[in-house]
């Protein structure tokens, strides 16, 4: 079983749509959780951290369910510029020095 | 503030040849990471340095891959000899310090080196 698994893509949605990405992780000792965004042929960049209480940043909402080992990202009112691959990322235990474990990514394509 | 620098940006070699990649992290960042990203997959950590010491190299194929960070700043990743399955993007990242990621330990990635092995 992969350590971090994401919805297989790609997701093709029209502008203005709401889209949700799901992610599960296998290590219950994982400490921190993130969503990264990676544009085509570019490096990954941190989109947002994910907290147990849920957190929102503009059109983006992230949720974490530790009991189910499940993470989600909701994008409302999709823009063309949201087209990218979204990577679900968890860290290992604290004594593993911040090692990031990435999912395989889910590609999003927003069409006019 | 300058970001993480990597070179070369692209490299094409034949199998069994050797190749080296260079990374210059963000100034002041103590922790440096090398990741391998194969097409269609997420990045996978190869090796992590804290200053000039290795923190984690558990996923580095040590029979052919080596990395060093002798002065605790720049780093070099080498593959010798290369195999077809080494074709990937090699990403370097840095963070201020170790510990739980996020906040002061956010990892910043360089643009990567795209390696093609023929």
């Amino acid at each position: 079983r992969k350590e971090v698994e994401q919805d297989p893509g790609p997701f093709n949605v029209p502008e203005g749509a709401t889209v949700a990405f799901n992610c599960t992780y296998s290590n219950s000792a994982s400490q921190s959780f993130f969503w990264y965004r990676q544009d085509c042929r570019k490096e990954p960049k941190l989109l947002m951290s994910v907290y147990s209480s849920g957190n929102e940043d503009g059109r983006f909402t992230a949720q974490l369910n530790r009991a189910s080992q499940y993470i989600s990202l909701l994008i409302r009112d999709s823009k063309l510029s949201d087209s990218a691959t979204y990577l679900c990322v968890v860290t290992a235990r604290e004594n593993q020095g911040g090692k990031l474990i990435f999912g395989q990514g889910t590609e999003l394509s927003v069409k006019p | 503030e300058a970001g993480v620098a990597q070179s070369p940006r692209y490299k094409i070699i034949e199998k069994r040849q050797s190749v080296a990649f260079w990374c210059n992290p963000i100034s002041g960042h103590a922790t440096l990471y090398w990741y391998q990203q194969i097409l269609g997959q997420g990045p996978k950590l190869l090796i992590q340095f804290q200053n000039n010491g290795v923190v984690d190299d558990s996923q580095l194929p040590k029979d052919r891959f080596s990395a060093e960070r002798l002065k605790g700043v720049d780093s070099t990743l080498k593959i010798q000899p290369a195999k077809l399955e080494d074709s990937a993007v090699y990403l370097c990242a840095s963070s201020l310090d170790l510990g739980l990621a996020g906040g002061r330990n956010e990892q910043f990635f360089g643009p990567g080196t795209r390696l093609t092995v023929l």
Side-chain angles (χ1 to χ4, degrees):
Chain A
R1 180 186 173 188
K2 292 180 181 177
E3 291 185 84
V4 180
E5 292 202 62
Q6 297 186 234
D7 287 335
F11 282 37
N12 296 300
V13 304
E15 268 188 295
T18 295
V19 61
F21 301 131
N22 301 309
C23 171
T24 57
Y25 60 95
S26 61
N27 187 349
S28 59
S30 296
Q31 294 280 340
S32 301
F33 309 89
F34 309 92
W35 285 100
Y36 273 69
R37 170 191 169 129
Q38 186 170 28
D39 292 297
C40 187
R41 303 179 79 85
K42 298 284 189 180
E43 71 272 23
K45 292 184 178 178
L46 179 63
L47 177 66
M48 59 195 302
S49 300
V50 187
Y51 304 114
S52 297
S53 54
N55 49 298
E56 189 174 304
D57 182 1
R59 298 181 292 108
F60 298 81
T61 300
Q63 297 276 357
L64 168 64
N65 184 322
R66 284 187 183 268
S68 303
Q69 295 178 205
Y70 168 84
I71 306 163
S72 66
L73 176 68
L74 185 77
I75 305 176
R76 292 182 300 278
D77 188 23
S78 300
K79 311 291 185 190
L80 296 176
S81 56
D82 294 334
S83 296
T85 295
Y86 291 83
L87 296 157
C88 177
V89 186
V90 306
T91 58
R93 298 185 303 278
E94 183 171 0
N95 62 4
Q96 290 193 341
K99 174 180 175 179
L100 297 182
I101 302 168
F102 287 79
Q104 78 274 27
T106 303
E107 185 181 348
L108 171 66
S109 180
V110 182
K111 306 292 188 184
Chain B
E1 180 181 278
V4 177
Q6 290 188 246
S7 68
R9 293 294 309 278
Y10 304 91
K11 190 72 177 179
I12 300 174
I13 61 173
E14 295 190 350
K15 60 183 179 184
R16 291 188 289 274
Q17 285 188 320
S18 301
V19 64
F21 312 128
W22 173 83
C23 173
N24 182 239
I26 293 173
S27 179
H29 279 197
T31 310
L32 184 146
Y33 311 80
W34 283 101
Y35 290 85
Q36 179 193 57
Q37 186 172 23
I38 293 172
L39 187 64
Q41 298 181 21
K44 181 184 82 172
L45 180 71
L46 293 175
I47 189 167
Q48 177 182 346
F49 291 95
Q50 174 72 356
N51 297 311
N52 61 351
V54 175
V55 175
D56 184 345
D57 63 356
S58 57
Q59 297 193 89
L60 186 74
K62 298 180 185 64
D63 58 332
R64 299 184 300 107
F65 286 64
S66 64
E68 59 184 17
R69 194 185 184 201
L70 293 176
K71 296 182 179 178
V73 180
D74 293 5
S75 177
T76 303
L77 176 69
K78 296 179 182 177
I79 308 175
Q80 180 179 17
K83 293 185 175 182
L84 296 177
E85 59 261 36
D86 298 333
S87 294
V89 176
Y90 290 85
L91 294 161
C92 180
S94 70
S95 64
L96 272 171
D97 206 347
L98 274 179
L100 295 179
R104 64 179 271 111
N105 294 323
E106 178 183 345
Q107 292 184 28
F108 296 88
F109 285 82
T113 296
R114 186 173 298 273
L115 173 67
T116 301
V117 182
L118 302 175

